[in-house]
């Protein structure tokens, strides 16, 4: 299922904002989202090489920081193998979080959050391919 399908957002809606947490040195996940939707996308990672507006898209902004050290917020937060805490990740989301945890355990949803989808994505070539979709209640 697509990112938009998980959260119920329209790909051509420029009012949707996405924050990609833990994108690494290069904003690959954020760039994919920015280039295939009309959404405003931010990418945050302490190892990010480039900061500011990315040349691939004026709707992609990169931040070199830990999520916990920022005040970034978005409609949707995407965390692919992110090391940010689940609490910080959820606190940055207005409408939902889609995560693929690795070594930082997510456990049960926090009070005020509902995990409405959980599945193994066998198309991800990693043993850490569990997808969690959570929304605030």
């Amino acid at each position: 299922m697509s990112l938009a399908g998980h959260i119920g957002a329209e790909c051509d809606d420029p009012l949707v904002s996405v924050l990609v947490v833990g994108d690494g040195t290069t904003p690959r996940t954020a760039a994919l989202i920015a280039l295939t939707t009309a959404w405003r996308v931010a990418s945050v990672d302490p190892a990010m090489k480039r900061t500011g507006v990315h040349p691939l898209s004026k709707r992609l902004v990169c931040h070199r920081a830990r999520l916990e050290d920022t005040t970034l917020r978005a409609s949707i937060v995407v965390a692919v193998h992110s090391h940010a805490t689940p609490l910080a990740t959820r606190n940055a989301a207005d409408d939902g979080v889609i995560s693929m945890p690795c070594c930082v355990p997510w456990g049960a949803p926090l009070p005020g959050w509902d995990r409405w989808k959980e599945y193994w994505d066998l198309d991800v070539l990693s043993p850490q391919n569990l997808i969690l979709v959570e929304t605030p209640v």
Side-chain angles (χ1 to χ4, degrees):
M1 177 176 271
S2 71
L3 175 63
H6 278 311
I7 298 296
E10 297 296 327
C11 289
D12 61 351
D13 184 352
L15 299 179
V16 174
S17 60
V18 176
L19 174 59
V20 178
V21 180
D23 223 1
T25 59
T26 305
R28 290 180 179 91
T29 301
L32 177 67
I33 295 167
L35 293 173
T36 59
T37 69
W39 301 345
R40 294 171 289 119
V41 184
S43 180
V44 61
D45 192 291
M48 186 69 62
K49 288 183 179 178
R50 180 185 301 272
T51 60
V53 176
H54 198 280
L56 283 175
S57 172
K58 65 182 178 186
R59 293 178 290 99
L60 172 56
V61 179
C62 301
H63 303 270
R64 184 182 307 120
R66 291 176 353 115
L67 175 63
E68 293 85 349
D69 298 331
T70 74
T71 58
L72 295 170
R73 291 194 62 79
S75 308
I76 303 166
V77 174
V78 175
V80 178
H81 296 166
S82 169
H83 295 159
T85 67
L87 178 61
T89 304
R90 290 174 179 118
N91 284 343
D94 294 328
D95 299 321
V97 173
I98 300 172
S99 65
M100 185 178 351
C102 60
C103 54
V104 176
W106 271 65
L110 295 175
W113 283 82
D114 179 40
R115 181 170 298 154
W116 65 269
K117 193 153 192 130
E118 181 173 334
Y119 66 96
W120 298 97
D121 188 340
L122 301 179
D123 290 326
V124 175
L125 301 178
S126 168
Q128 289 85 25
N129 59 0
L130 175 66
I131 307 296
L132 305 174
V133 182
E134 297 183 359
T135 54
V137 290

